[in-house]
Amino acid sequence: MFVRTQRLTLRPGWIEDAPELARAINHWEVCSKLETAPWPYSQLDAEDFLGRMSVSSDAFFLICAHEGGVTRLVGGMGVHAKGNDEHELGYWLMPDAWGRGYATEAGMGVVRLARESLRLKRLVAGHFIDNPASGKVLRKLGFRPTGRIVQRESRARSGQTPCAMFELDLCSEAADNDPRTRMAA
């Protein structure tokens, strides 16, 4: 599966992407905000991740930005099953891609895919409370805070970290009519 937006292509990751993936994600500022990413993040970690994603039923994408005639990997985004018919949106961007609206743009495309192609009814997401920028992205995508703060593992931090939880009803009429979730093909 591929998702195309105005400035981005979201595509599956292949084992050949491992060196570039490792370079893009290997920042403390990124890994420390994710649950499963180790620190430091090596090419072997990238190869392991890409190998697991190639056989997974989860929808995972590398985010590639088109800038000045050049395409470069700037992040990752995916929807994965959490059990009990629950699916979670997760994402990351490399630091020099922050503040450009890429997470929101990619998220709109993936939320649309979750609704229209995957036929999901609901998405959940969370952000570590020391990463409020991620909460802003979730709100722009239509997610609503649940009011719950849960402890989630951060592999890079080697411990539990408070995480604010969000949810998005993909079946509501408001979600279907939200212009922020419409993307040109």
Side-chain angles (χ1 to χ4, degrees):
M1 264 186 282
F2 289 75
V3 175
R4 182 79 170 102
T5 71
Q6 183 177 352
R7 301 177 298 162
L8 306 171
T9 298
L10 284 71
R11 65 168 179 81
W14 301 295
I15 199 70
E16 298 83 8
D17 294 312
E20 190 175 4
L21 173 59
R23 279 191 300 276
I25 197 172
N26 191 30
H27 301 272
W28 172 253
E29 302 90 340
V30 175
C31 292
S32 67
K33 303 299 189 266
L34 300 173
E35 284 187 49
T36 60
W39 175 254
Y41 196 98
S42 71
Q43 184 171 327
L44 289 176
D45 294 317
E47 290 170 2
D48 177 62
F49 175 78
L50 292 166
R52 283 184 285 118
M53 287 301 100
S54 70
V55 296
S56 172
S57 61
D58 293 341
F60 173 77
F61 305 95
L62 294 178
I63 302 170
C64 300
H66 309 288
E67 304 168 329
V70 176
T71 300
R72 68 184 185 112
L73 190 151
V74 297
M77 183 171 283
V79 173
H80 65 276
K82 294 290 281 187
N84 296 334
D85 203 31
E86 184 170 88
H87 294 82
E88 184 168 25
L89 176 73
Y91 53 90
W92 62 270
L93 289 176
M94 59 190 301
D96 75 352
W98 294 351
R100 297 182 183 191
Y102 290 157
T104 302
E105 186 174 330
M108 287 179 188
V110 171
V111 165
R112 179 176 155 212
L113 175 108
R115 179 185 296 113
E116 296 175 5
S117 297
L118 301 178
R119 304 276 189 224
L120 301 179
K121 296 178 182 0
R122 179 175 172 268
L123 286 175
V124 297
H127 70 84
F128 292 142
I129 61 171
D130 60 353
N131 185 14
S134 190
K136 290 178 184 177
V137 169
L138 292 172
R139 285 179 177 86
K140 288 178 187 176
L141 296 175
F143 281 80
R144 301 289 173 238
T146 65
R148 292 185 318 123
I149 304 290
V150 299
Q151 294 294 316
R152 287 236 170 134
E153 185 70 25
S154 170
R155 186 170 168 198
R157 298 183 201 201
S158 300
Q160 298 285 313
T161 304
C163 181
M165 299 306 299
F166 287 72
E167 63 187 357
L168 175 63
D169 178 2
L170 297 174
C171 297
S172 75
E173 188 174 317
D176 291 337
N177 293 324
D178 188 340
R180 296 175 300 173
T181 61
R182 293 195 181 137
M183 301 300 292

